Amino acid sequence: MSLTRLQKVMAQAGIASRRKCEELILAGRVTVNGKITTTLGTKVDPDKDEIRVDGKVIRKEPHIYLVLYKPPGYVTTVHDPQNRPTVMTLVRDYNQRIYPVGRLDYDTEGLLLMTNDGDFAYRLTHPKHHVPKTYLATVSGIPNKKALTSLRQGVKLEDGLTSPAKVQLVKKGTDSVLLKITLYEGRNRQVRRMCGAVGHPVLHLKRTSIGNLSLEGLKPGQYRTLTTEEVVELKNLVGLK
Ligand code: URA
């Protein structure tokens, strides 16, 4: 018998991210062997206990891991209250069983991971794991040395100082530059906020890699499944076997 925390079992079954599963538990939408359970620490035996969400029995599903080249003009949520196109429409073969890992802004294009492995998604987006994410950002104006040093060493944002980042000036235009930025944390709209804070608003933004994954071979709107090696490597990065 292996006892596991309820929210982890739910996340592994592809219900949602672990955090979202906690919300479902707290909302009283989850039953274990017919009894509503609102305690987050509840331990269950996934092989024996019957867990239901909104009355529906959860079942272990094979894990799916995709890398999608998100085009601009799509939201990275499963449902959009404003009815804008969602990335879910680009991966229709997989239906609603997978969801995006973290976010890319509506206007941002590039690499987006999608999975039904909630535990994996939770760890990849957890700040403690520092999984590198690389962006190509076209910014307005020509940043001087001081601005570039700030971006590298830490920019004061409303949610605190950013941690050290790699920043490389790739191409200089007349009134804009292309920067390659690698972040080891993932805050909301972080690249746009960092560049804005040093006086160089982002004009165009593309994420080119997460950990060992790149966009190679993909056109906007296309996706592929991860290879076993890629999954193993990413799992290693976040302490999963
Ligand atoms: N940083 C941003 O500002 N936007 C994104 O979409 C991703 C990272």
Side-chain angles (χ1 to χ4, degrees):
M1 183 168 79
S2 93
L3 288 179
T4 314
R5 288 163 86 85
L6 179 56
Q7 57 267 42
K8 189 170 174 184
V9 174
M10 290 167 64
Q12 280 172 344
I15 301 299
S17 68
R18 228 197 274 183
R19 200 166 303 140
K20 197 85 213 239
C21 290
E22 290 176 356
E23 285 171 25
L24 293 172
I25 296 170
L26 291 173
R29 291 168 61 182
V30 181
T31 57
V32 178
N33 301 325
K35 267 174 65 185
I36 292 177
T37 305
T38 52
T39 313
L40 291 181
T42 303
K43 293 260 176 93
V44 293
D45 181 345
D47 295 324
K48 293 208 185 112
D49 291 322
E50 187 195 65
I51 300 155
R52 288 176 186 258
V53 178
D54 293 337
K56 258 177 75 185
V57 176
I58 69 166
R59 210 164 277 120
K60 272 194 184 169
E61 288 180 352
H63 284 153
I64 299 162
Y65 304 92
L66 301 182
V67 51
L68 167 74
Y69 187 155
K70 175 197 174 298
Y74 284 80
V75 287
T76 48
T77 47
V78 175
H79 300 289
D80 182 49
Q82 292 175 49
N83 258 331
R84 291 170 298 181
T86 76
V87 290
M88 302 310 296
T89 60
L90 300 169
V91 291
R92 280 188 204 277
D93 303 353
Y94 291 92
N95 247 321
Q96 299 279 319
R97 293 182 298 123
I98 55 166
Y99 47 87
V101 178
R103 298 221 167 150
L104 282 181
D105 303 330
Y106 179 73
D107 291 328
T108 303
E109 62 176 308
L111 197 157
L112 184 71
L113 258 173
M114 299 188 76
T115 187
N116 60 352
D117 181 346
D119 203 28
F120 173 76
Y122 172 80
R123 284 173 183 243
L124 262 186
T125 50
H126 197 286
K128 99 171 177 208
H129 291 295
H130 310 294
V131 178
K133 299 186 190 82
T134 301
Y135 299 87
L136 283 176
T138 306
V139 302
S140 169
I142 314 289
N144 59 18
K145 235 175 161 182
K146 187 165 168 242
L148 292 175
T149 304
S150 277
L151 290 173
R152 289 185 182 118
Q153 296 184 347
V155 178
K156 221 180 197 174
L157 299 178
E158 65 214 8
D159 49 355
L161 197 65
T162 58
S163 52
K166 267 193 205 154
V167 179
Q168 203 185 324
L169 204 154
V170 178
K171 207 162 105 192
K172 215 172 190 172
T174 43
D175 51 7
S176 66
V177 300
L178 180 65
L179 299 176
K180 183 176 177 184
I181 301 176
T182 302
L183 301 182
Y184 299 87
E185 55 179 352
R187 306 191 205 169
N188 206 14
R189 298 178 66 82
Q190 187 167 345
V191 175
R192 289 178 197 274
R193 289 193 293 138
M194 284 170 71
C195 295
V198 298
H200 298 282
V202 168
L203 303 172
H204 179 260
L205 187 60
K206 174 175 171 179
R207 179 156 69 196
T208 54
S209 75
I210 296 182
N212 55 331
L213 300 178
S214 77
L215 283 173
E216 207 185 310
L218 292 175
K219 294 198 179 91
Q222 291 183 332
Y223 64 87
R224 66 169 176 87
T225 52
L226 266 59
T227 63
T228 311
E229 290 76 25
E230 286 172 329
V231 175
V232 168
E233 254 187 76
L234 274 177
K235 283 190 171 177
N236 279 338
L237 269 184
V238 297
L240 278 173
K241 285 267 147 51

